[in-house]
Amino acid sequence: MTDAHNPIDRGRADVEKRWQDPAAYRSAVLYVLAVVVVAAVVCAIFLATARDSMVVGSLVPAAFFLGGVGALVNGYRVYRRGGTWPTWQGAGIFLLALMLVSLAFPAMAA
């Protein structure tokens, strides 16, 4: 039996890889979907109206970056509470990878 508030036991639980928390997975997926929707709306605005504006083009990777950092911060908070943090870490890394892909949008404005 592990104690989530004991740092030694928390480390042991990380090594055992018993992370079966559907609620944490659902919340991380909904967070990623919300960030992707916001970035898609900004992308649509950029492509429809302001194709020559580098500022509007930069908002697409900025949305993914802020979403990725927010997911990683939330993952750290969940870790400190002793919860299932790897889903949030994965969400953050996925959003940061999307940010790297979307860095082409500001270059389209040039």
Side-chain angles (χ1 to χ4, degrees), residues 2-3 42 47 49 73 87 94-95 104:
T2 61
D3 179 17
V42 173
L47 292 175
T49 62
V73 167
T87 55
F94 178 72
L95 289 172

Side-chain angles (χ1 to χ4, degrees), residues 54-75:
M54 190 171 290
V55 174
V56 178
S58 298
L59 291 177
V60 178
F64 284 128
F65 176 74
L66 293 175
V69 170
L72 292 174
V73 167
N74 198 7

Side-chain angles (χ1 to χ4, degrees), residues 31-32 64-65 67-73 85-101:
Y31 179 84
V32 167
F64 284 128
F65 176 74
V69 170
L72 292 174
V73 167
W85 56 270
T87 55
W88 285 102
Q89 183 182 17
I93 291 172
F94 178 72
L95 289 172
L96 290 175
L98 286 178
M99 184 261 318
L100 290 175
V101 171

